Amino acid sequence: KDNSTVSITVVGASGDLAKKKIFPALFALYYEDCLPEHFTIFGYARSKMTDAELRNMVSQTLTCRIDKRENCTEKMELFLKRCFYHSGQYDSLDNFAELDKKLKEHEDGRVSNRIFYLSIPPNIFVDAVKCASLSASSANGWTRVIVEKPFGRDSESSAALTKDLKQYLEEDQIFRIDHYLGKELVENLSVLRFSNLIFEPLWSRQYIRSVQLIFSEDFGTEGRGGYFDHYGIIRDIMQNHLLQILALFAMETPVSLDAEDIRNEKVKVLRSMRPLKLEDTVPQGSLTPTFAAAALFIDNARWEGVPFLMKAGKALHDKRTEIRVQFRHVPGNLYKRNFGPDLDDATNELVIRVQPDEAIYLTINNKVPGLGMKLDRSNLNLLYAARYSKEIPDAYERLLLDAIEGERRLFIRSDELDAAWALFTPLLKELEEKNIIPEYYPYGSRSPVGVHYLAARHNVKWGDLD
Ligand code: BG6
């Protein structure tokens, strides 16, 4: 019989992230019987609330994803009975000591394992970690802390944050979340590459012309203006979500699937990249706090000369995240004269659509059926919704489960974080020092025009604008 307990304290329980992502993910794990036998969930925040009020708040955002699933309401009730609330300040050793007392009551003499999920603004991370660690860490099991970005604003502030956290925690207790690593198709990236002979040998400068990482959202910064104004899209999306995908995409084969082996390879590829310069980004005047595009280069044997183009924007015409791999053209293609006008240089493209409508498709050149000889582009298409009847778990479910199980593969190690900041910090400083004026783009448009110049400079086209 399992004699251990896991308690998960959501610090900042009344915030948006907790309500929209953390509690629903915990419930989904509970529904799927993935949580340990003995677990307790605590909400911790400053506002006064009773357990019943917390349960009521949490219940508003719980879903069973597919409405008609069995026993959903019963399961929700059982789950809510395991949720409790403690009101306290984030910098109060006493308040965390009170929480510790309550946690002990729930643990009932079993081995105590504790997770603190910091869903609070970064300026209070260190205080909360200090109090949690000094007043409420486990006496006989493990204690882990999950931290959400932003991990600083640049290399220096990030290093300072890491140093401060390490006064109270060991590196292996810190679980830095980048929720994009928990997305199904990002997780599948390595599977696609390393377990398919038709892709693995092609994964290099010899066959790949460019790689494009595209993030767009069809809503702006409504409700988050304060945060966003301070961070901007480069820090919000590029330096973490897109760069993490790039590292996974471009790393060398890890020795094994072990967390340290994978993260070693990610760090290596990040350290082989050139720090960005202003000229690698959308031309002067086209860089706005809500949209940015950049070309990155990896100076190693596999990728030398291959542009990795990134663009990320809010308030655009659609919401999507895609990885587009553009292959080189077939030298001396016999069929060149049979290409229709839309074929251009008729290169193949592999598209991994992370969201929405998860899919992997490969554009090939194909003969249009008929007596003549005309070629067009067609897609071999793996649409997840058509292929798998199973619903796709939210990224937070996978990540929370990994944190509970101590699996660190999808969390960011401090040296990875340092390497990621090293790439962007010089550019961010230059942008701020030179006070670059943003190019405006209409809400709901495709992108500022500057992105086309950027791609053209590297002799490629954005695949999503065809
Ligand atoms: C967050 C960013 O990390 O990711 C947000 O801070 C962004 O600005 C969000 O909207 C996007 O996440 P998802 O999972 O909805 O694509």
Side-chain angles (χ1 to χ4, degrees):
K1 217 160 155 51
D2 191 358
N3 188 35
S4 63
T5 61
V6 174
S7 63
I8 300 158
T9 303
V10 182
V11 183
S14 43
D16 236 30
L17 181 75
K19 282 194 268 194
K20 287 196 186 136
K21 293 289 183 185
I22 305 173
F23 288 113
L26 287 168
F27 171 63
L29 289 175
Y30 177 72
Y31 187 92
E32 303 281 353
D33 287 330
C34 292
L35 292 184
E37 183 184 345
H38 302 292
F39 78 91
T40 310
I41 295 172
F42 259 88
Y44 185 104
R46 282 175 306 195
S47 35
K48 296 264 177 275
M49 233 195 283
T50 61
D51 291 342
E53 281 163 340
L54 172 90
R55 288 173 189 163
N56 184 41
M57 180 195 89
V58 167
S59 71
Q60 314 284 316
T61 49
L62 295 192
T63 65
C64 293
R65 292 189 297 205
I66 294 175
D67 288 335
K68 288 192 240 28
R69 288 181 65 164
E70 268 176 69
N71 308 329
C72 184
T73 332
E74 292 91 313
K75 285 258 194 180
M76 274 189 191
E77 275 163 23
L78 290 172
F79 173 78
L80 289 170
K81 284 198 184 133
R82 314 279 286 260
C83 298
F84 302 86
Y85 184 74
H86 186 73
S87 151
Q89 300 297 321
Y90 298 119
D91 58 354
S92 161
L93 287 166
D94 290 347
N95 292 162
F96 273 89
E98 292 151 18
L99 171 73
D100 179 63
K101 225 165 126 207
K102 288 192 183 170
L103 289 173
K104 283 201 178 109
E105 283 165 23
H106 286 274
E107 288 162 356
D108 199 18
R110 296 187 183 88
V111 176
S112 122
N113 295 313
R114 297 183 178 177
I115 293 182
F116 293 90
Y117 194 129
L118 301 193
S119 177
I120 47 177
N123 58 330
I124 47 180
F125 280 174
V126 179
D127 282 338
V129 164
K130 174 180 166 193
C131 297
S133 133
L134 298 180
S135 296
S137 58
S138 157
N140 59 1
W142 47 254
T143 303
R144 298 177 184 147
V145 175
I146 303 180
V147 210
E148 280 275 345
K149 73 166 206 312
F151 312 116
R153 285 188 87 247
D154 51 26
S155 290
E156 292 79 26
S157 50
S158 165
L161 177 63
T162 299
K163 189 161 164 255
D164 289 346
L165 292 179
K166 286 193 180 169
Q167 280 180 267
Y168 307 103
L169 299 169
E170 298 296 328
E171 171 66 21
D172 70 0
Q173 293 181 280
I174 308 174
F175 286 66
R176 296 179 191 82
I177 275 204
D178 183 311
H179 78 283
Y180 267 61
L181 292 181
K183 293 196 186 260
E184 185 63 42
L185 271 84
V186 176
E187 171 93 325
N188 187 56
L189 196 53
S190 293
V191 178
L192 185 73
R193 171 181 173 192
F194 292 122
S195 67
N196 287 292
L197 190 66
I198 59 159
F199 294 126
E200 203 280 333
L202 304 187
W203 226 253
S204 75
R205 64 191 299 277
Q206 212 178 338
Y207 299 105
I208 292 178
R209 169 78 197 85
S210 82
V211 180
Q212 306 184 351
L213 303 157
I214 296 167
F215 169 98
S216 70
E217 277 181 342
D218 54 2
F219 50 89
T221 58
E222 298 88 341
R224 301 174 71 218
Y227 155 82
F228 210 86
D229 218 26
H230 193 51
Y231 288 93
I233 197 84
I234 298 179
R235 293 182 176 93
D236 189 47
I237 304 292
M238 279 191 168
Q239 181 270 351
N240 34 70
H241 302 330
L242 295 187
L243 190 63
Q244 284 297 322
I245 296 178
L246 197 165
L248 273 181
F249 181 96
M251 69 183 180
E252 294 299 312
T253 315
V255 177
S256 76
L257 291 176
D258 177 78
E260 299 318 320
D261 287 337
I262 294 178
R263 295 186 299 179
N264 288 344
E265 293 307 328
K266 285 169 69 194
V267 173
K268 261 162 57 186
V269 80
L270 289 171
R271 292 184 52 211
S272 307
M273 291 172 68
R274 260 178 251 166
L276 277 151
K277 298 208 183 87
L278 194 51
E279 69 234 38
D280 300 322
T281 61
V282 172
Q284 262 213 0
S286 300
L287 212 115
T288 83
T290 55
F291 184 98
L296 292 97
F297 288 90
I298 305 173
D299 293 327
N300 67 12
R302 183 183 292 275
W303 296 114
E304 188 185 284
V306 177
F308 284 79
L309 297 184
M310 279 183 184
K311 61 177 172 175
K314 292 196 171 263
L316 298 174
H317 81 300
D318 69 355
K319 174 169 168 63
R320 73 161 103 181
T321 304
E322 278 178 354
I323 307 163
R324 302 185 83 104
V325 187
Q326 296 186 343
F327 290 90
R328 293 189 182 279
H329 66 270
V330 178
N333 193 329
L334 281 177
Y335 289 98
K336 203 160 173 59
R337 71 172 61 164
N338 307 96
F339 293 166
D342 57 323
L343 274 186
D344 222 348
D345 56 355
T347 53
N348 300 112
E349 191 175 32
L350 172 68
V351 180
I352 297 158
R353 194 185 311 121
V354 176
Q355 63 186 30
D357 306 326
E358 292 81 353
I360 301 173
Y361 60 93
L362 181 64
T363 307
I364 59 163
N365 300 314
N366 206 53
K367 177 179 171 301
V368 179
L371 297 178
M373 178 53 75
K374 186 172 172 297
L375 271 62
D376 75 356
R377 284 188 135 175
S378 290
N379 287 339
L380 303 179
N381 201 347
L382 169 59
L383 200 59
Y384 272 48
R387 171 68 182 90
Y388 301 103
S389 50
K390 213 173 154 4
E391 62 199 288
I392 295 179
D394 187 77
Y396 281 89
E397 294 170 35
R398 192 185 315 273
L399 294 167
L400 274 160
L401 184 60
D402 281 357
I404 293 169
E405 293 181 344
E407 167 60 75
R408 294 170 176 80
R409 194 165 39 97
L410 301 179
F411 295 89
I412 316 294
R413 214 167 57 184
S414 69
D415 52 348
E416 269 187 88
L417 184 62
D418 292 346
W421 275 121
L423 291 173
F424 282 91
T425 296
L427 168 74
L428 289 164
K429 292 220 161 118
E430 197 178 346
L431 286 171
E432 273 158 18
E433 273 156 22
K434 294 193 174 149
N435 224 345
I436 301 292
I437 308 293
E439 175 192 310
Y440 293 106
Y441 58 99
Y443 200 113
S445 60
R446 293 197 77 122
S447 69
V449 288
V451 292
H452 300 292
Y453 299 124
L454 179 79
R457 214 188 301 150
H458 299 286
N459 214 7
V460 291
K461 281 188 188 161
W462 291 99
D464 64 324
L465 298 182
D466 277 355

